[in-house]
Amino acid sequence: MSKNLFILRKRKGLSREAVARALEMSAMTYQRYEKDLRDPTAPTLVRLADFYGVTLDQLAGRAPLPETTDEGA
């Protein structure tokens, strides 16, 4: 999951701090999720999936991430 968090954040062109602010958590907490040093709680997993527009299975690596689009370009 940590790899997918990194990929999804980079696709959106956001910093860790920006994601953390949007999800109302500390930047250190988000960094720990992305570096696989801490596991998010179930409610946080749902918030992360919603934020990135993916399913929980995609976030967890049980299903492939969606293809990139030109949405933000």
Side-chain angles (χ1 to χ4, degrees):
M1 180 185 64
S2 60
K3 178 181 169 186
N4 286 346
L5 287 174
F6 175 80
I7 290 167
L8 291 164
R9 179 175 62 80
K10 288 297 185 180
R11 282 184 183 177
K12 284 192 170 262
L14 298 172
S15 68
R16 287 183 182 130
E17 293 79 13
V19 174
R21 271 194 310 275
L23 296 173
E24 298 178 347
M25 66 176 65
S26 76
M28 184 61 69
T29 296
Y30 184 81
Q31 178 178 325
R32 288 178 179 145
Y33 297 151
E34 202 173 278
K35 291 185 175 256
D36 203 20
L37 299 173
R38 182 175 178 181
D39 292 326
T41 62
T44 300
L45 285 170
V46 172
R47 289 173 52 216
L48 287 164
D50 287 347
F51 178 78
Y52 286 120
V54 296
T55 66
L56 289 172
D57 279 347
Q58 289 170 323
L59 187 64
R62 295 174 43 117
L65 291 175
E67 295 297 317
T68 58
T69 64
D70 293 332
E71 278 181 7

